[in-house]
Amino acid sequence: DQQVKQNSPSLSVQEGRISILNCDYTNSMFDYFLWYKKYPAEGPTFLISISSIKDKNEDGRFTVFLNKSAKHLSLHIVPSQPGDSAVYFCAASGVNRDDKIIFGKGTRLHILP
Amino acid sequence: DAGVIQSPRHEVTEMGQEVTLRCKPISGHNSLFWYRQTMMRGLELLIYFNNNVPIDDSGMPEDRFSAKMPNASFSTLKIQPSEPRDSAVYFCASSPQIGEKLFFGSGTQLSVL
């Protein structure tokens, strides 16, 4: 049973526009959420995170929004650039900070010229 | 720091053969994780260690899979005997502590024929 769900396997966005990647989770004990980015033939790399005490965290062009009541988070990339084409994984871990990180299946983002 | 180092980068073997994947975590990191990436299941946690001790191996698919961490700088994931359905990319990751962001290696692309 997938505790972290990314329901869109792929997404295409025009360069310069906003990319929005969505993620849902089922475990209400999750309180720390992360996004990872993965290029082909490389390992995933950390992008941005958010704690459940916040509803927004911003880092340059990347913003993560958390809606705890809906158990939903999203990653916004604005403006989208060609180098943003990659697979994006949503991940979550539990309350005690000693819990393992669970990943979603990933969303492949294509930035169109 | 060289980051998490995995070897080999690619492994092609025949069904029934033993396969050993290797990982050197980032120095000073106390937690080590083995993940498997497939199209169907995304990034799937197989097993993780804390201070060289296996904490949770519930993700290990079958008894054919085993993992060891004899010291803080080395871990192996062994599959014996290997089967075609084991074909996937296997990632090793480390973190300072469990629940903190992960640093991934480049992965081992395993093909079992």
Side-chain angles (χ1 to χ4, degrees), chain B residues 4-44:
Chain B
V4 176
I5 299 173
Q6 290 187 248
S7 63
R9 286 299 305 271
H10 303 274
E11 177 79 36
V12 180
T13 190
E14 292 186 347
M15 182 175 64
Q17 296 296 306
E18 176 182 302
V19 174
T20 300
L21 311 181
R22 297 172 175 79
C23 176
K24 179 178 175 6
I26 293 173
S27 176
H29 281 193
N30 293 321
S31 302
L32 182 140
F33 303 76
W34 283 100
Y35 284 87
R36 177 171 68 174
Q37 185 189 9
T38 62
M39 291 293 290
M40 289 295 292
R41 302 175 71 90
L43 265 176
E44 180 185 17

Side-chain angles (χ1 to χ4, degrees), chain A residues 72-109:
Chain A
H72 177 84
L73 62 155
S74 60
L75 174 68
H76 293 211
I77 307 173
V78 56
S80 300
Q81 298 176 355
D84 297 330
S85 294
V87 176
Y88 290 79
F89 290 98
C90 173
S93 71
V95 174
N96 295 322
R97 287 288 188 275
D98 60 353
D99 210 354
K100 57 195 175 188
I101 294 178
I102 304 297
F103 285 81
K105 291 186 178 181
T107 296
R108 183 175 298 278
L109 176 64

